[in-house]
Amino acid sequence: SVECVALSPSQTLAAFGTESGRVRVFGVPGGEMLGDLPNAHAVAVTALVFVSDRLLATGSRDGTIRLWTWNEGRLTEVFHFR
């Protein structure tokens, strides 16, 4: 199930974080899936924010915040907050 949603600064992208730790990015308004991070986190994604249209920050109950270049599926940085 969807835990959180974020809209990009340009309002052309929407990201959805799920209970299973997956993040998906869709085009707005068309709804086409543009990106998929199936294992973004080990547990629920509880926070999302677009830093820019290229960079997405995700937060989880696993105690991390992760910065992604989402369109490449590349993890850029991990911050531990526990």
Side-chain angles (χ1 to χ4, degrees):
S1 67
V2 173
E3 292 283 317
C4 54
V5 178
L7 190 61
S8 69
S10 66
Q11 299 183 359
T12 60
L13 303 167
F16 296 83
T18 70
E19 186 177 3
S20 67
R22 177 179 230 149
V23 173
R24 287 184 172 166
V25 178
F26 293 88
V28 175
E32 66 279 10
M33 188 170 69
L34 302 174
D36 187 17
L37 304 170
N39 300 304
H41 290 272
V43 295
V45 178
T46 56
L48 293 168
V49 64
F50 279 95
V51 178
S52 68
D53 281 354
R54 266 190 49 231
L55 294 175
L56 179 66
T58 63
S60 171
R61 292 188 188 125
D62 66 8
T64 65
I65 296 172
R66 297 177 184 203
L67 187 61
W68 300 87
T69 306
W70 67 266
N71 59 328
E72 297 173 5
R74 186 169 53 91
L75 180 60
T76 305
E77 188 129 17
V78 179
F79 303 93
H80 298 271
F81 59 91
R82 283 192 186 191

